[in-house]
Amino acid sequence: MIQKCIFCGKEYHIDDIIYTCRCGGLLEIVYDYEEIKDKVSKESLRKREIGVWRYLEYLPVENLEKIVSLQEGGTPLYRCKNLGEELGLKELYVKNEGANPTGSFKDRGMTVGVTKAEELGIDVVGCASTGNTSASLAAYSARAGKKCIVLLPGGKVALGKLAQAMFYGAKVVQIRGNFDEALEMVRKLAEDGKLYLLNSINPFRLEGQKTIGFEICDQLNWKVPDRIIVPVGNAGNISAIWKGFKEFKETGIIEDLPKMTGIQAEGAKPIVDAFKRNSRSIVPVENPETIATAIRIGNPVNYPKALDAIYSSGGYAESVSDREITEAQKLLARKEGIFVEPASAASIAGLMKLLEMGIIDKDERIVCVTTGNGLKDPDAAIRASERPIEIECDMEILKSIIEKI
Ligand code: F0G
């Protein structure tokens, strides 16, 4: 098991704390896949409890006693018949990552990332965040007894996420700037050796998140979806899920691969713009803006990995408006009983748009990944809802209301 640059191929020891290659390229963790193939089978995986650590042969952890876990993963894969019917789809699923311990998919990355910090003997961890990463890191570092500092874009983090980061005991710093600026600052602290960086530039984070791909196959009884639709911000998750599918194929667990489809918000869509230009490089968005604050990111660090996932899988990238996001968020709640935060609803909004555009075929088996729980952003939900009716304690009035629902 090594760290390897995706650009120049240079290899680094698994315990080197470097984040990026000396050439500036992103790193990824590479395993001996023949060895994994000999060790695992569909049957042997099934003998373990579902969750991130079911797939431990595929994870970069050597000392299992050091694992820092809150029982992340094992989230539901819902068959969505009502929404599917509404959209004329044969087989639609939602992988609901909001069911993780802190309410987002970030927990999958943090169980691995904080375990790595534990293995390395590091005491101080940190990240920049639009909210969920900070909530998750704050929880896992609390569990591991580590100090934690999080940098947030002031005034742009949903209430639930801010409450979590503060309550788990992290040092919360709000900057007068956006996520991209916060990340730049915290990266400098990491370069100076002041903290261990747990943003998705850290390849160990993505190793945990790739288990979303593993679990989808597992829960579909080893069938592979035709398409995975994922909201994209810093572009780590779509890259991680793609790596998961590729590794399952490489080790003989599955035979096919899905089309990776990334959705961004209209006000923060550098990857969509690159895709539409058929380019492998992005032009950063200076002042990203969207109701989906989780993906309010103008300069996604993992864009080379994400664009590679999209191009090599034959996938697609599209953007959706704030209004489309809110409508999709409501539709999912009202048709399926699944309450997700705005960024997560971008995957459903993207599905609807791509169906209309004729990019997605109605016969496809589709999995939308909903990345965060709706309770994370109560303000957005309340703003998008009808106000409750207020009445006196009067049975006649109440009866007249029930007759009209
Ligand atoms: N959905 C939610 C709910 C998120 O919180 C994020 C990212 C994404 C999607 C996008 O994932 O960055 O891997 O492309 N949130 C980060 C954070 C940036 O700080 O919580 P990505």
Side-chain angles (χ1 to χ4, degrees):
M1 170 178 23
I2 47 156
Q3 303 185 75
K4 189 171 178 184
C5 174
I6 65 163
F7 287 160
C8 73
K10 188 172 168 51
E11 295 180 0
Y12 296 87
H13 189 273
I14 201 72
D15 287 338
D16 278 359
I17 304 173
I18 37 178
Y19 311 110
T20 51
C21 180
R22 263 169 236 129
C23 80
L26 298 170
L27 298 171
E28 69 176 2
I29 312 293
V30 178
Y31 302 80
D32 180 341
Y33 294 106
E34 285 305 313
E35 194 186 313
I36 297 180
K37 210 171 174 175
D38 288 342
K39 279 195 196 151
V40 302
S41 66
K42 292 173 197 166
E43 297 73 35
S44 70
L45 291 174
R46 282 277 170 88
K47 289 200 180 110
R48 303 179 188 142
E49 205 176 312
I50 193 159
V52 168
W53 297 100
R54 170 177 279 192
Y55 314 98
L56 62 92
E57 285 82 359
Y58 296 83
L59 296 171
V61 167
E62 274 148 317
N63 187 348
L64 300 184
E65 276 164 26
K66 300 255 179 192
I67 290 176
V68 182
S69 172
L70 287 163
Q71 295 181 26
E72 49 294 313
T75 57
L77 180 73
Y78 295 117
R79 175 84 195 260
C80 291
K81 285 206 172 135
N82 302 336
L83 183 58
E85 249 166 48
E86 175 99 3
L87 303 177
L89 288 169
K90 250 170 61 184
E91 214 178 325
L92 174 65
Y93 299 86
V94 161
K95 177 70 171 158
N96 192 25
E97 288 296 293
N100 272 297
T102 77
S104 85
F105 70 96
K106 306 287 181 180
D107 296 343
R108 294 180 186 267
M110 288 308 171
T111 185
V112 175
V114 174
T115 297
K116 188 68 200 173
E118 187 69 12
E119 278 190 345
L120 294 167
I122 287 165
D123 293 327
V124 186
V125 294
C127 68
S129 180
T130 56
N132 282 322
T133 299
S134 68
S136 184
L137 181 57
Y140 282 80
S141 57
R143 191 149 171 97
K146 299 191 186 307
K147 291 186 183 135
C148 173
I149 179 164
V150 303
L151 263 71
L152 307 177
K156 293 288 183 178
V157 171
L159 207 63
K161 306 174 190 181
L162 186 61
Q164 286 178 294
M166 297 194 307
F167 209 76
Y168 290 127
K171 176 61 73 187
V172 178
V173 181
Q174 307 211 38
I175 64 154
R176 298 192 187 99
N178 61 31
F179 169 84
D180 304 296
E181 291 163 307
L183 183 56
E184 221 177 289
M185 289 172 76
V186 80
R187 277 181 82 170
K188 286 194 184 122
L189 281 185
E191 273 163 31
D192 291 346
K194 302 275 187 221
L195 52 80
Y196 185 61
L197 184 64
L198 276 162
N199 279 101
S200 56
I201 188 97
N202 182 327
F204 291 92
R205 268 270 315 272
L206 300 188
E207 290 306 290
Q209 289 172 211
K210 76 185 178 189
T211 60
I212 295 176
F214 294 166
E215 270 180 24
I216 289 172
C217 300
D218 206 331
Q219 289 168 314
L220 287 174
N221 232 345
W222 315 112
K223 283 185 297 191
V224 178
D226 298 304
R227 190 181 295 274
I228 307 284
I229 309 183
V230 196
V232 172
N234 216 15
N237 207 30
I238 190 168
S239 318
I241 297 172
W242 175 236
K243 188 171 190 275
F245 279 107
K246 279 195 303 183
E247 289 183 349
F248 255 14
K249 186 168 181 214
E250 178 102 31
T251 51
I253 302 286
I254 57 170
E255 279 167 19
D256 304 312
L257 292 169
K259 295 182 169 76
M260 299 304 298
T261 302
I263 309 296
Q264 294 194 294
E266 248 167 34
K269 59 173 175 64
I271 288 179
V272 174
D273 290 340
F275 176 77
K276 300 268 161 123
R277 289 195 312 272
N278 200 18
S279 166
R280 290 230 172 214
S281 58
I282 59 159
V283 179
V285 172
E286 282 291 325
N287 293 306
E289 209 47 83
T290 167
I291 185 184
T293 51
I295 52 172
R296 184 176 167 272
I297 294 175
N299 192 12
V301 291
N302 285 301
Y303 77 83
K305 287 184 178 176
L307 283 168
D308 181 64
I310 293 165
Y311 288 130
S312 42
S313 69
Y316 206 84
E318 191 50 75
S319 62
V320 289
S321 68
D322 283 358
R323 181 203 287 249
E324 287 166 331
I325 287 173
T326 304
E327 276 169 15
Q329 188 191 12
K330 267 192 188 167
L331 193 66
L332 183 62
R334 286 160 196 211
K335 288 279 170 199
E336 299 291 349
I338 305 171
F339 183 26
V340 302
E341 67 167 285
S344 305
S347 61
I348 306 292
L351 165 67
M352 290 160 72
K353 187 160 174 184
L354 293 174
L355 274 169
E356 241 166 62
M357 287 164 67
I359 303 286
I360 293 181
D361 199 282
K362 300 211 165 183
D363 288 337
E364 291 181 27
R365 179 185 301 139
I366 297 168
V367 177
C368 288
V369 182
T370 55
T371 43
N373 197 301
L375 293 170
K376 293 268 190 178
D377 194 347
D379 293 322
I382 288 170
R383 273 198 311 271
S385 302
E386 243 178 67
R387 288 185 172 279
I389 306 165
E390 207 177 311
I391 60 165
E392 298 301 329
C393 302
D394 180 325
M395 281 312 291
E396 289 314 308
I397 302 177
L398 188 57
K399 280 181 195 158
S400 75
I401 291 171
I402 192 126
E403 267 150 30
K404 283 184 232 140
I405 66 167

